[in-house]
Amino acid sequence: MKSRLGQIIDAFLPLFATLAALLVGAIMLIALGVNPLVAYQALLQGAFGSKNAFAETLVRATPLLLIGVGICIAYRGNVINIGGEGQMIMGALVGAYIGVTLTNFPGWLNITLGLLGGVVAGAIWGGIPGVLKAYFNVNEILSTVMMNAIAVQFKNYYLTGSLMDPSQADMASKIPQSARLEEIFRLPRLWQPTRLHLGSLIAVILAILVYILLWHTTTGYRIRAVGQNPHAAKYAGVKVKRYIVLALLLSGALAGLAGATQVYGVNYRMITDGSATGFTGGAGFNGIVAALFGQLHPILTIPASVLFGALIVGANAMQRVTQIPSALITALNGLVVVFVVSSDYWRIRRQRRRVSTDDSSDEESYLQSGDNSRTTGEVTP
Amino acid sequence: MKNLVKYLSLLLIFVFVLAACGKPTADEPSVAEEPEVVKEPEVAEKLRIAIVSPSEYNDFAFTQSIYDAMTLFETTHDIEWAFSGMMFNVDDAAAALRDYAAQGYQLVIGHGSQYGSSMQEIAPDFPETSFAWGTTVETFGQPNIYAYEAASHEGGYVMGVMAAMLSKTKVIGVVGPIETGDAKLYVDGFVAGVLATDPTINVRVTYIGSFGDIALAAEAAETHLAAGADVMTGTAQMVVGAIGKCEEAGAYWFGTQAEQSTFAPNTVVASQVYHWEVVLEDMVARRAKNQLGGEYFLINLANGGQVIAFNENVTIPAEVMEAAQATIQGIIDGTITINLP
Amino acid sequence: MISNLFSMTAFLGILASGIRLATPYLFASIGEMFSQRSGVLNLGVEGQMILGAFFAFYVAKITGNLWLGVLAAMGVGALMGLAMAIVTIELHATQGISGIGFYLFGVGMSNLLFQTLIGTVETVSGFPRIAIPLLSKIPIFGDIFFNQNILVYLAFLMVPLAWFILYKTTLGLKIRAVGENPQAADTLGVSVPKVRYFTIILGGTMSGLAGASLSIALLNVFQQGMTAGQGFIAVALVYFGAWKPWGVLGGALLFSLVNGLQLWIQVLGIPIPSEFSTMMPYFLTILVLTLTVSKVKTPSALTKPFEREG
């Protein structure tokens, strides 16, 4: 029973940590002359206060979930993918291209191809760092950071050039955006009149599929084996390099899909303001955080991304009600990440105690101890 | 697995309870489903305006131009206004636009050309609210969307004429963000002005691929200086880096979007300042006559929405000043036509 | 037009650009190199840089003393480093992610402070150029290499200094041991946490200094978000340099020189779309590393928290 209570606490830890961060945020709010109670009420209201608010939260959570699930794969395979921004952009770019080009296709086919195009583009943009890491020993942090910047320039090039909305090309303002998707080429909305779209459902299904992939297939087992101990995996006959590429490729594919669903489900076009975050909203980074909120478990990442999406949507609403500078929202966002990532300590500590007291050898505790070796890091010989 | 599901649902329930706790105190208008304008009996006539903008209010560029305009507008009109900056993410901006409309703001302005799609979508849900966005001419045929645009090439042209006359090395540098919209229009106008005055001048344009990278903007300016430029211009918020380098090197700078001479008093010869008040005035007047949108407005030199602010600290030779005034007059009269590429 | 690129002016211009652009990267990357060498990945460099840039600017502005500004930047960088160290060493937080938190916090906080304390973009008169006697008179190159502001010299001095500390002192030996095999280092009586506290705080201090080099030495302004991703590039350059000071120098110079080159390509009107020109430094950095790298030894304990066994 005790360990069950512990598990409940574990599940709520990110939430407690978030509350603690908001408490620190309250001090900053007071310093700015804002009543934190009013502010945080606005935050909750903005994130969950109405049908529309809740739908917006879910819409915002969708790319976080897709990227977060990809991050689960990457981290389990012991690769750090901070290229989510670039992969998402490339996915969206290809998605938008297909959406406005294949207009004589039936709607469902166009959408399917567009989303698949996004998947492929993201997979390539994630696969390149994978190949570079596995076969050329180029660190993936370096290559993904650089490829984010390259993706932004591709986006600017195509949206100010060949992919630009033809009606814009004639105008003086020349807004760098692709043409708007026709109505039949948009992802259906699930909860009228809100913006909640089919992409959210796809993301949840994919989270479950990735869970199955990672824990119920040989491929997944090998990805994790490579992540935990590449030497042992190699010794056991796993083609290590191939699985490093695969982990980054899958992670990129999911980020690419996130980009394409933003185009097909939310914006119905691609727009650039010259930066990465203008389109992604920082999902490439926030998705990593959401995955960690979810303890790098695809299923747990679902509520984690909802929580994080709520935080973003709610914090923006809070800014509107209290008229505090938007900068505070960014700072608060950072605090939440630091607090949540630190709170993991208590979970792992309790887990370790549990593992050492009851030496049960069922699958779950085996995995948990596997978890430990990843995070606490035994030194490889 | 079973346990997992249990805890997840617990977590969600907890969150919902929290949300529910938050609800009772906020009395009425929640969100999108009730688009009616909130009635506030005592101050029924006070116009409420909300601005959503991609950058910060003090960016010395595009966002500052609307912020300054609102500050001015406030002194002459009985308004209440709200501002959300740093909404560079289109999704966040869309949520903000919708929320301001739902809160009962009567005029909701999305000050960025990337917000058009969102506005097209949101406006029909709030038929009583006026929306406005720029810079563009597109109102999507919606009766409650205004559009506005700046003829930034006009001021660009005037300053191009001045730059051509001031340059001794016959080399002029331009630092732009990305080749689009207001920035490109301004740069093209500037180049046209230079070449119309002296076709032998070498105008060199760099786009640094970012609105925020001050260091790269500064380096682009250094590159122009090293290549012989003695007069420069540029647009968007990262140009402060470039202006600083001009100041160090004693080169001249021409600014746009906001008054930049306060930043570098001995370097900025003139700034093309946007006075969006002109547009605000138009929109508010139309709205008072129950026209909620469906029209587009332009600020230019003729209607006073664009003003060339000459910097008194910099001695501008009389003939350059005369040429500038003549050019302004010519553009207003229509005797000068600007040929954009 | 392309022939103009091979002129002396362009060549010297590219060199000069490269040196200036490399300065902040050198500070930040060498700091990050130390913390990675001891086994800690700090992705929060960007946040530390921009907070450093703000404090340097603000303190220099109100006190009129540039060195106080530098101190303030180093101080705030060190504080951010300390926070990172506590979270990393005591709480075993996943390093790649805690860094993202510190990045967001730094970006938001610097902007917030900027709005409340200064409010508008202003200039400050930064560090002047110092011509080194004799050396600066060397024809052609003297002016580029030996007529810079003090922080530029300092940044380049960091490279041999870091090399010396890392390879020629006991401290350096300890740092490398802790990053390579913390268990063994522990057995030999080296305090793993102490060493890591030191390197993470050092990394933060250097990132703060990198920020200061932007706001009060090279650009002499502060604007929100002015580091524009340089902190992430700095982390990437540590990998490029294979955790070696000279390698980091090579990476920083390569990236910055190519950036200088792409600006010249645009200025000279060579017909390449500006977007492709802009992506050159990123692309070439990956390419060069792909073609040259052979066997690089990653610090074995990188990103792994230390736990005493038993």
Side-chain angles (χ1 to χ4, degrees):
Chain A
M1 277 318 270
K2 237 178 212 167
S3 82
R4 181 159 295 177
L5 180 71
Q7 270 180 321
I8 295 177
I9 295 174
D10 286 349
F12 281 94
L13 257 181
L15 202 63
F16 293 143
T18 309
L19 291 177
L22 292 181
L23 215 58
V24 178
I27 299 169
M28 301 205 286
L29 284 167
I30 292 169
L32 285 169
V34 173
N35 181 349
L37 287 176
V38 173
Y40 286 143
Q41 201 199 323
L43 187 149
L44 271 179
Q45 191 82 24
F48 300 109
S50 68
K51 183 176 166 184
N52 186 66
F54 188 52
E56 282 298 317
T57 294
L58 295 180
V59 168
R60 195 60 203 253
T62 303
L64 297 183
L65 176 57
L66 283 168
I67 287 174
V69 168
I71 293 297
C72 291
I73 305 177
Y75 264 75
R76 294 286 172 184
N78 200 22
V79 284
I80 302 173
N81 177 13
I82 50 177
E85 299 274 292
Q87 292 146 13
M88 191 173 163
I89 287 170
M90 294 312 278
L93 206 54
V94 171
Y97 175 76
I98 292 175
V100 298
T101 326
L102 305 181
T103 40
N104 45 5
F105 281 48
W108 64 270
L109 187 60
N110 177 302
I111 296 173
T112 314
L113 288 175
L115 295 186
L116 282 179
V119 169
V120 172
I124 292 172
W125 218 246
I128 292 171
V131 171
L132 290 179
K133 181 185 171 70
Y135 297 97
F136 296 91
N137 206 8
V138 174
N139 181 279
E140 75 276 21
I141 292 187
L142 177 139
S143 52
T144 48
V145 164
M146 299 289 169
M147 286 183 70
N148 283 347
I150 296 174
V152 172
Q153 294 309 321
F154 268 118
K155 177 179 74 151
N156 291 346
Y157 177 72
Y158 285 107
L159 289 178
T160 54
S162 55
L163 200 53
M164 193 200 277
D165 187 349
S167 70
Q168 281 300 328
D170 304 333
M171 282 189 216
S173 52
K174 294 211 180 1
I175 300 171
Q177 61 187 22
S178 61
R180 198 168 148 90
L181 294 182
E182 288 171 42
E183 212 142 324
I184 51 161
F185 300 143
R186 300 176 188 170
L187 277 174
R189 294 203 160 162
L190 300 178
W191 196 19
Q192 296 290 352
T194 72
R195 298 203 293 170
L196 186 69
H197 56 87
L198 189 64
S200 309
L201 194 64
I202 295 175
V204 171
I205 293 168
L206 278 170
I208 297 166
L209 287 179
V210 167
Y211 166 74
I212 295 169
L213 170 84
L214 278 176
W215 276 284
H216 296 283
T217 67
T218 340
T219 312
Y221 172 77
R222 288 185 178 156
I223 290 178
R224 287 183 300 123
V226 169
Q228 276 171 23
N229 191 339
H231 300 288
K234 196 174 177 184
Y235 193 70
V238 178
K239 292 200 166 64
V240 172
K241 291 183 175 181
R242 200 172 286 177
Y243 285 92
I244 289 176
V245 178
L246 186 68
L248 268 164
L249 186 129
L250 286 175
S251 170
L254 285 159
L257 179 63
T261 49
Q262 283 303 98
V263 170
Y264 274 91
V266 184
N267 302 318
Y268 303 143
R269 61 163 34 128
M270 197 174 176
I271 309 170
T272 180
D273 69 335
S275 73
T277 38
F279 174 75
T280 64
F285 290 115
N286 290 332
I288 302 178
V289 178
L292 189 88
F293 273 37
Q295 296 160 13
L296 297 171
H297 190 295
I299 306 282
L300 280 174
T301 304
I302 301 171
S305 37
V306 172
L307 182 72
F308 209 70
L311 201 68
I312 296 171
V313 170
N316 281 323
M318 170 173 101
Q319 187 278 329
R320 292 192 289 276
V321 170
T322 59
Q323 289 289 304
I324 47 166
S326 310
L328 180 70
I329 307 298
T330 318
L332 205 56
N333 189 341
L335 275 182
V336 170
V337 174
V338 172
F339 274 65
V340 170
V341 79
S342 305
S343 73
D344 224 27
Y345 175 62
W346 282 275
R347 182 180 64 86
I348 290 163
R349 208 173 58 170
R350 213 185 347 269
Q351 236 172 38
R352 184 165 325 131
R353 228 181 286 146
R354 202 160 54 233
V355 171
S356 59
T357 48
D358 60 82
D359 222 345
S360 59
S361 57
D362 61 278
E363 198 219 16
E364 203 157 343
S365 84
Y366 158 74
L367 285 175
Q368 279 162 351
S369 66
D371 240 344
N372 286 342
S373 75
R374 183 188 53 76
T375 28
T376 59
E378 279 122 33
V379 178
T380 41
Chain B
M1 197 49 211
K2 245 181 212 161
N3 282 343
L4 199 69
V5 172
K6 207 188 291 170
Y7 301 136
L8 289 186
S9 38
L10 261 176
L11 184 90
L12 274 178
I13 290 168
F14 184 57
V15 167
F16 278 122
V17 170
L18 268 181
C21 294
K23 218 168 181 181
T25 11
D27 10 19
E28 273 219 353
S30 65
V31 195
E33 298 99 284
E34 342 171 26
E36 331 62 14
V37 177
V38 186
K39 289 202 176 82
E40 285 179 346
E42 324 93 271
V43 278
E45 286 314 303
K46 195 163 194 166
L47 185 68
R48 297 173 77 204
I49 303 177
I51 311 275
V52 176
S53 198
S55 155
E56 205 57 91
Y57 69 93
N58 52 2
D59 69 350
F60 254 117
F62 192 64
T63 298
Q64 182 156 353
S65 70
I66 190 86
Y67 194 90
D68 289 352
M70 282 307 295
T71 323
L72 261 172
F73 194 70
E74 190 183 27
T75 58
T76 51
H77 294 76
D78 189 23
I79 56 161
E80 179 197 325
W81 65 293
F83 175 78
S84 289
M86 299 299 270
M87 292 286 118
F88 46 77
N89 178 248
V90 179
D91 259 2
D92 288 344
L97 294 169
R98 182 176 281 281
D99 189 38
Y100 277 127
Q103 280 184 36
Y105 284 85
Q106 291 106 320
L107 175 56
V108 179
I109 301 176
H111 190 58
S113 55
Q114 63 267 53
Y115 302 152
S117 288
S118 318
M119 206 153 257
Q120 184 176 9
E121 196 131 307
I122 296 165
D125 295 345
F126 299 90
E128 300 293 309
T129 309
S130 292
F131 291 86
W133 73 298
T135 57
T136 181
V137 296
E138 179 72 80
T139 61
F140 307 110
Q142 292 272 350
N144 62 336
I145 294 183
Y146 289 116
Y148 55 87
E149 191 170 36
S152 55
H153 57 291
E154 291 187 358
Y157 189 89
V158 176
M159 295 201 272
V161 170
M162 294 174 76
M165 295 176 77
L166 285 172
S167 174
K168 293 190 178 68
T169 58
K170 303 285 178 198
V171 179
I172 293 174
V174 183
V175 180
I178 62 174
E179 292 186 61
T180 177
D182 189 68
K184 185 167 166 52
L185 194 58
Y186 169 77
V187 171
D188 289 347
F190 181 87
V191 174
V194 172
L195 296 180
T197 312
D198 183 351
T200 64
I201 285 184
N202 212 337
V203 209
R204 292 158 165 172
V205 183
T206 47
Y207 285 99
I208 65 160
S210 154
F211 283 87
D213 198 335
I214 302 182
L216 201 56
E219 212 43 59
E222 292 270 21
T223 308
H224 283 300
L225 290 167
D230 62 346
V231 179
M232 257 186 259
T233 190
T235 170
Q237 54 266 36
M238 80 297 164
V239 295
V240 288
I243 303 176
K245 293 299 158 196
C246 283
E247 196 173 27
E248 277 174 29
Y252 287 124
W253 176 268
F254 286 92
T256 184
Q257 293 182 331
E259 168 70 90
Q260 291 171 346
S261 62
T262 51
F263 174 73
N266 300 313
T267 307
V268 178
V269 182
S271 308
Q272 164 174 248
V273 185
Y274 291 176
H275 285 279
W276 296 114
E277 311 88 271
V278 177
V279 172
L280 289 168
E281 199 77 56
D282 282 341
M283 291 191 296
V284 168
R286 299 283 196 290
R287 198 185 147 83
K289 289 181 196 151
N290 286 324
Q291 181 196 334
L292 300 186
E295 196 175 338
Y296 113 92
F297 303 101
L298 179 73
I299 53 166
N300 57 19
L301 293 172
N303 66 17
Q306 274 170 210
V307 173
I308 307 293
F310 298 98
N311 181 5
E312 287 163 8
N313 293 314
V314 176
T315 356
I316 306 169
E319 72 269 19
V320 178
M321 199 66 189
E322 274 162 33
Q325 298 292 6
T327 312
I328 293 173
Q329 203 49 51
I331 291 173
I332 293 174
D333 298 341
T335 49
I336 295 179
T337 44
I338 304 168
N339 295 317
L340 295 176
Chain C
M1 268 183 270
I2 291 183
S3 59
N4 290 340
L5 201 56
F6 301 106
S7 70
M8 204 53 176
T9 331
F11 178 67
L12 293 178
I14 292 167
L15 265 184
S17 290
I19 288 172
R20 280 186 298 259
L21 288 170
T23 300
Y25 293 128
L26 279 176
F27 282 123
S29 300
I30 287 193
E32 175 75 9
M33 184 199 74
F34 273 108
S35 64
Q36 291 204 8
R37 261 295 166 97
S38 75
V40 178
L41 163 67
N42 175 14
L43 269 185
V45 174
E46 175 91 358
Q48 297 169 337
M49 267 178 83
I50 194 151
L51 263 181
F54 172 76
F55 275 94
F57 183 85
Y58 180 62
V59 171
K61 190 95 197 164
I62 54 170
T63 63
N65 187 327
L66 292 169
W67 287 108
L68 280 179
V70 170
L71 270 181
M74 291 169 71
V76 73
L79 269 180
M80 289 279 281
L82 177 67
M84 173 85 193
I86 292 173
V87 165
T88 307
I89 297 165
E90 309 297 340
L91 302 178
H92 295 195
T94 316
Q95 291 166 10
I97 296 170
S98 58
I100 294 176
F102 284 110
Y103 147 62
L104 290 169
F105 177 75
V107 168
M109 205 60 201
S110 62
N111 190 352
L112 191 64
L113 290 170
F114 171 63
Q115 287 183 29
T116 42
L117 296 176
I118 302 179
T120 172
V121 186
E122 290 172 7
T123 47
V124 66
S125 57
F127 284 105
R129 285 165 186 256
I130 301 171
I132 295 179
L134 295 177
L135 289 176
S136 62
K137 296 283 180 287
I138 297 173
I140 306 172
F141 295 103
D143 194 52
I144 293 172
F145 292 122
F146 302 107
N147 188 11
Q148 297 282 1
N149 71 63
I150 183 92
L151 290 190
V152 175
Y153 295 129
L154 205 59
F156 281 83
L157 271 179
M158 285 294 167
V159 179
L161 193 65
W163 173 82
F164 182 79
I165 291 175
L166 205 53
Y167 295 105
K168 300 288 164 194
T169 64
T170 359
L171 178 65
L173 185 67
K174 283 182 186 171
I175 292 172
R176 285 181 290 140
V178 164
E180 232 18 87
N181 192 340
Q183 254 70 27
D186 185 57
T187 336
L188 292 173
V190 178
S191 164
V192 176
K194 244 188 218 163
V195 169
R196 288 189 174 168
Y197 265 106
F198 172 77
T199 55
I200 302 172
I201 293 173
L202 178 70
T205 312
M206 298 275 282
S207 301
L209 202 52
S213 76
L214 282 173
S215 67
I216 61 173
L218 292 165
L219 307 172
N220 307 329
V221 290
F222 181 85
Q223 195 182 47
Q224 52 261 2
M226 71 183 280
T227 46
Q230 292 187 16
F232 287 98
I233 300 292
V235 175
L237 292 177
V238 176
Y239 292 97
F240 186 96
W243 300 273
K244 295 187 181 83
W246 297 104
V248 168
L249 174 71
L253 278 178
L254 171 77
F255 184 83
S256 307
L257 286 171
V258 176
N259 227 336
L261 170 73
Q262 69 95 358
L263 289 171
W264 274 94
I265 287 178
Q266 289 197 50
V267 163
L268 294 176
I270 293 167
I272 298 175
S274 65
E275 292 86 358
F276 288 117
S277 189
T278 311
M279 68 172 82
M280 270 173 64
Y282 304 96
F283 177 72
L284 279 176
T285 307
I286 299 182
L287 190 71
V288 168
L289 198 59
T290 310
L291 296 180
T292 58
V293 120
S294 48
K295 287 275 170 219
V296 176
K297 180 75 181 67
T298 312
S300 308
L302 188 57
T303 74
K304 288 170 186 155
F306 171 70
E307 191 85 18
R308 241 208 191 115
E309 272 159 3

